[in-house]
Amino acid sequence: MSDAKVLAKHPQVKELDPRTYFWCSCGQSSKQPFCDGSLTGSTFSPVRFELTEKKKEALCLCKHTKKAPICDGFHSKLK
Ligand code: FES
């Protein structure tokens, strides 16, 4: 299991514009749910994803999803 910081045990639902995003995988970014470069020097990498149209997404905040950056419900298994 990842030792990423658990920010919340629920996703953040956001209406996103079409463009490229970098989802924070380590949980240290101050610009959640997106990467701000805080992971530099760690074993984590941001997850790049691109939207070609405006879309509402449930972005994982527990940082343990297996379908990053999208919530897969894994947060419900965290203690
Ligand atoms: S918030 Fe991480 S799996 Fe749902």
Side-chain angles (χ1 to χ4, degrees), residues 2-29:
S2 162
D3 59 352
K5 179 180 175 184
V6 176
L7 294 171
K9 293 178 183 173
H10 57 78
Q12 181 176 21
V13 179
K14 289 181 81 71
E15 181 88 23
L16 300 172
D17 289 326
R19 69 176 181 90
T20 300
Y21 296 90
F22 293 88
W23 176 77
C24 166
S25 64
C26 69
Q28 303 295 331
S29 172

Side-chain angles (χ1 to χ4, degrees), residues 10-14 16 23 33-34 49 57-62 69-71:
H10 57 78
Q12 181 176 21
V13 179
K14 289 181 81 71
L16 300 172
W23 176 77
F34 304 112
F49 68 102
E57 293 282 16
L59 299 168
C60 172
L61 287 181
C62 80
I70 308 303
C71 170

Side-chain angles (χ1 to χ4, degrees), residues 12-70:
Q12 181 176 21
V13 179
K14 289 181 81 71
E15 181 88 23
L16 300 172
D17 289 326
R19 69 176 181 90
T20 300
Y21 296 90
F22 293 88
W23 176 77
C24 166
S25 64
C26 69
Q28 303 295 331
S29 172
S30 62
K31 296 182 178 175
Q32 293 296 330
F34 304 112
C35 178
D36 70 353
S38 293
L39 52 70
T40 304
S42 77
T43 57
F44 292 94
S45 298
V47 175
R48 181 184 188 277
F49 68 102
E50 189 170 335
L51 295 178
T52 55
E53 59 189 32
K54 197 173 186 110
K55 192 172 180 186
K56 189 179 280 188
E57 293 282 16
L59 299 168
C60 172
L61 287 181
C62 80
K63 308 302 179 181
H64 288 71
T65 180
K66 302 291 186 270
K67 295 182 178 177
I70 308 303

